Amino acid sequence: MKLLMIMAAALYVVVSSCTKDKTDYEAEIETVVTEHLTFKEVARFEKDGYTIHIASLNGTFYKGYNEVHVSVQRGAVAVEPEEITCLPIFTDAQGQHTTGPHGYQLVHQADSGYHTSYVVFTQESGTGNEWRLYMSFRTNGVTHQLDEAIAVVPQPNKNLNMTSFIGSDGAHYVIALVGPQKPNVAENELVAGIYRYDKPSTATSGNFPEPELFSYAAVEGYTLQLDPRMPEPSMGNHSSPNNKDLTARSDGLYQGVVNYTMTGNWTLNFILSDPLGKIVKGTVVPDDFTPGVQGVKSELYLDILF
C-alpha cells in the first residue's frame, strides 16, 4: 500500500508539473511555428543573355537544410541546360573558405522542367561573413560560369535545427533536420540528412574553388539512435514510447519516428553508429526521472520546440 501511495504521489507531481509548465512555457515564448510549403524565387542572376532563377521554400535561404529548384530562361523562353552545377562557398572574417553539404550536380526533373538539389548552410550571413554560389550551366555545348553573393538568415523553426561535429573516426559530420516542419502531438515521421566531409585524395590544381576540396557525401548504412526527452526541470527529463531510430532510405536521407506526447521543449538525443556498429558520436541518456533537475543530454543532440 505504501508503495502504491508513493507511485500515485509521483504520478501527480509529473502530471501537475507538466500541465502547469506547459501552459507557462507557451505563454512565455508565444512561438508560432510556420510551415512553409511553397517554393518562391530567392535569387535571380543574369549571365550571357540567360536568366537563372533559384527557388527555395518561402523564397529564403535558411541556416540548415534547403531544397532548391533552378530553372534557366533566354528571354521569355525556358531553356533546358545539359548540365547545371552549384558549389556554395562560405568566407569568414579571416578569409577562410568552407562549405556545407550540398548536391553539386543538379538533377533534371523532366515533369517540371527545372533542376533540383539541396544545400545545408552551416553558417548565417553577417558582417564580414559571406556566402557565394559558384554555378555553371551548359547549353548547346557551351559552359557558362558565374559566382554570386547570397544571403543566409537564421532558421527560426527549431524543428529544422542542424549540428556539426568531429566523430570518433576524426571525420567532420553534419546532421540537419529536414522534417517535420510542424510536428503534431503524435508519432511523427522524423527525417534528417547525415553528411561527412570528404577529404581530397588527389593533388589540387590550385584553381579556386575546386569542388573536390569542398565536398560532402551523404553517409550510407549508418544508424542514428533516437531518445527524445523533455529536459526542463519540471518535466523530469521524461521520454515517450514508440520512437524509432533513423535509418537510410533510398533518396539518401534518414528516417525514423519521434513520438511527441505534448507540446513544448524537447531534446532529440542521438547516438550515431557507422555500418559496423561503431559509435561515431553520442552517449546514452540515463533513464532516471529527475524532477527539479535539468535533464542530462547526449553529447550529440538537437533541441526542438513546437
Side-chain angles (χ1 to χ4, degrees):
M1 178 60 73
K2 183 177 181 181
L3 177 60
L4 289 175
M5 292 178 65
I6 293 174
M7 292 177 64
L11 179 61
Y12 172 77
V13 170
V14 174
V15 173
S16 60
S17 62
C18 285
T19 302
K20 179 178 182 299
D21 228 57
K22 169 178 175 289
T23 303
D24 291 345
Y25 191 66
E26 289 180 342
E28 177 185 351
I29 59 174
E30 296 181 351
T31 297
V32 176
V33 177
T34 302
E35 188 174 22
H36 298 298
L37 302 175
T38 304
F39 282 82
K40 302 176 183 178
E41 184 172 275
V42 62
R44 178 190 299 183
F45 307 129
E46 305 288 339
K47 184 68 176 180
D48 300 334
Y50 294 92
T51 304
I52 300 90
H53 301 270
I54 304 177
S56 63
L57 285 175
N58 196 37
T60 305
F61 287 135
Y62 292 106
K63 180 182 177 182
Y65 186 93
N66 296 258
E67 181 179 339
V68 293
H69 297 174
V70 178
S71 58
V72 179
Q73 285 183 300
R74 190 169 183 85
V77 180
V79 176
E80 291 191 4
E82 295 99 26
E83 180 186 66
I84 301 179
T85 65
C86 181
L87 174 58
I89 296 292
F90 178 76
T91 304
D92 65 18
Q94 289 70 46
Q96 298 296 313
H97 303 299
T98 57
T99 188
H102 59 278
Y104 178 68
Q105 195 96 29
L106 277 67
V107 178
H108 181 238
Q109 305 296 330
D111 56 343
S112 60
Y114 52 71
H115 289 65
T116 59
S117 187
Y118 69 91
V119 180
V120 180
F121 292 111
T122 53
Q123 306 280 345
E124 301 155 7
S125 301
T127 304
N129 301 328
E130 181 185 57
W131 279 99
R132 298 189 73 86
L133 295 182
Y134 291 79
M135 301 185 66
S136 74
F137 61 96
R138 189 174 69 245
T139 59
N140 299 319
V142 178
T143 299
H144 309 270
Q145 296 181 318
L146 65 154
D147 71 275
E148 300 284 349
I150 58 170
V152 177
V153 304
Q155 173 54 265
N157 186 346
K158 284 192 171 184
N159 302 293
L160 300 176
N161 266 344
M162 58 147 290
T163 185
S164 61
F165 56 90
I166 303 298
S168 59
D169 55 1
H172 183 261
Y173 289 84
V174 173
I175 296 178
L177 297 180
V178 179
Q181 292 188 49
K182 190 173 184 177
N184 296 308
V185 179
E187 294 180 15
N188 296 264
E189 181 180 277
L190 182 65
V191 180
I194 307 175
Y195 309 95
R196 182 184 58 222
Y197 175 67
D198 283 337
K199 292 182 178 179
S201 57
T202 58
T204 63
S205 67
N207 298 321
F208 180 82
E210 289 184 80
E212 293 77 12
L213 292 180
F214 301 96
S215 176
Y216 279 83
V219 299
E220 299 179 359
Y222 281 52
T223 301
L224 190 61
Q225 292 177 250
L226 171 65
D227 186 355
R229 301 292 183 98
M230 298 200 81
E232 291 180 60
S234 60
M235 299 298 172
N237 213 31
H238 71 76
S239 185
S240 59
N242 304 324
N243 300 289
K244 293 182 180 178
D245 299 336
L246 285 78
T247 55
R249 58 186 203 187
S250 59
D251 62 357
L253 295 173
Y254 280 68
Q255 180 177 324
V257 173
V258 59
N259 183 11
Y260 295 123
T261 52
M262 60 186 296
T263 60
N265 187 19
W266 287 80
T267 294
L268 304 181
N269 297 288
F270 295 126
I271 297 178
L272 179 65
S273 301
D274 69 13
L276 299 177
K278 183 178 180 181
I279 293 177
V280 175
K281 188 77 171 181
T283 47
V284 175
V285 178
D287 290 331
D288 302 338
F289 176 61
T290 56
V293 178
Q294 185 72 27
V296 175
K297 300 181 181 182
S298 167
E299 66 174 10
L300 177 60
Y301 69 91
L302 286 170
D303 286 328
I304 299 300
L305 174 65
F306 77 102

